[in-house]
Amino acid sequence: MAVAPTLHVIASLMIDRVLSVGALPRPGQTVEARSLRTFPGGKGANQAATAARCGAAVRACGRTGADGRFIVDAMRDAGVDVAAVRCDDPVSGAAVVMVADGGENAIVIAPESNRRVTDAEIDRFLSAAVSGDLLLLQNECSGPAHALGTARARGLRAWFNAAPADAALRGLDLTGLDGLFVNETEAEALTGLTDPAAALDALAARLPGTTVVVTLGAAGARMRSGGALSTHAGYRVRAVDTVGCGDAFVGAFLAALAAGLPPEASLAWGNAAGALAATCEGAMPSLPPRASVAALAALPAGSVPA
């Protein structure tokens, strides 16, 4: 029996400070939060933890400060190999997250330690990867161009989550990617197109041979893989907090892919994990386990979790 590939994640780690508000403030408006809580987070940390909870073998590389050690502990508890995550940076990455009634959110991040992951650290980390393994990157970390080049040289299947969308993203060479994850905002940033379907087609044409996934929040996701279009309408849940839902999607999708499921089934796993994550508060605390994700993904799109 073939051994499932390992997922190697160059992971962003963020201390999430979450403010619960009735409604997101308008420009110039001050609102009072009902509560302030702190959670482990960061796109890469959340994605790695989801993939591990969904059964994948996952290693992570990254940086945080001493005050972010609890993020590393949470990743380890989820089953991630965190031997290559450092906790000695002078300033940890952090995010301020406002969550309104109904689950809508607004997020400001300070990448800090995540921007100080060096090319040498990436090289040491990827020296343990073997051809055919999966590599996952996010735009929250330093060194994506170097990591993608190393992945090509080592025969790794590289997937990139183009979040957050910033000026540097448009200058990044994405050729040779196995897969690209974008939400509607990131798809528009990369193509200039506001229609997600048109943006998906433009990205797929620009990156032949790359599986491109556009996540659509509560509306599910669309994917171009091998020239074929797949759509999945997602699952119906009462959203409590949508922070981390996109990360849950990415982690579960890649866990399914590592387990040998086809991209179309992986799309259902991603939507199932994202929907389940929306029903709980916090990012990493809301990440669902494999059994729950698999059970929901086996149901038709549009189903309501039991």
Side-chain angles (χ1 to χ4, degrees):
M1 180 180 295
V3 177
T6 297
L7 174 61
H8 308 270
V9 185
I10 299 175
S12 54
L13 286 76
M14 299 283 186
I15 299 173
D16 285 353
R17 296 184 172 92
V18 180
L19 299 162
S20 175
V21 297
L24 299 180
R26 301 185 302 273
Q29 181 187 21
T30 299
V31 299
E32 181 177 347
R34 291 193 289 260
S35 65
L36 168 62
R37 286 180 289 175
T38 301
F39 296 103
K43 290 185 180 301
N46 294 334
Q47 291 165 10
T50 303
R53 295 201 76 190
C54 286
V58 184
R59 300 173 65 240
C61 168
R63 277 194 181 204
T64 187
D67 57 342
R69 189 176 296 276
F70 76 110
I71 307 171
V72 184
D73 292 340
M75 294 169 68
R76 183 186 297 108
D77 290 346
V80 179
D81 178 346
V82 293
V85 180
R86 296 176 55 175
C87 299
D88 58 355
D89 199 89
V91 184
S92 297
V96 176
V97 184
M98 290 181 289
V99 180
D101 293 344
E104 184 182 11
N105 67 73
I107 305 173
V108 178
I109 66 168
E112 289 290 349
S113 56
N114 299 291
R115 297 297 191 199
R116 290 186 281 273
V117 178
T118 67
D119 289 352
E121 288 175 296
I122 291 171
D123 288 341
R124 284 194 298 272
F125 175 64
L126 293 181
S127 67
V130 299
S131 180
D133 277 355
L134 296 163
L135 172 65
L136 173 61
L137 310 168
Q138 319 83 42
N139 202 37
E140 280 187 331
C141 286
S142 56
H146 178 79
L148 289 173
T150 302
R152 295 183 191 107
R154 295 190 65 87
L156 307 181
R157 294 181 286 160
W159 286 74
F160 183 62
N161 179 207
D166 58 16
L169 177 63
R170 287 183 285 275
L172 188 62
D173 180 8
L174 300 178
T175 57
L177 279 176
D178 266 68
L180 174 67
F181 295 106
V182 290
N183 64 16
E184 295 172 79
T185 300
E186 294 141 14
E188 180 180 355
L190 285 170
T191 65
L193 300 171
T194 57
D195 176 54
L200 172 64
D201 291 344
L203 286 169
R206 184 188 306 175
L207 299 168
T210 297
T211 295
V212 181
V213 181
V214 178
T215 57
L216 304 169
R222 296 173 65 91
M223 175 178 67
R224 285 275 183 192
S225 182
L229 173 65
S230 298
T231 63
H232 191 285
Y235 299 97
R236 295 170 52 202
V237 297
R238 179 181 177 275
V240 173
D241 179 357
T242 58
V243 176
C245 292
D247 298 334
F249 180 103
V250 170
F253 182 103
L254 289 179
L257 205 65
L261 273 66
E264 295 78 10
S266 300
L267 198 65
W269 273 57
N271 275 327
L276 292 169
T279 64
C280 303
E281 292 184 308
M284 202 174 297
S286 72
L287 302 177
R290 176 186 176 90
S292 299
V293 173
L296 183 54
L299 298 178
S303 298
V304 180

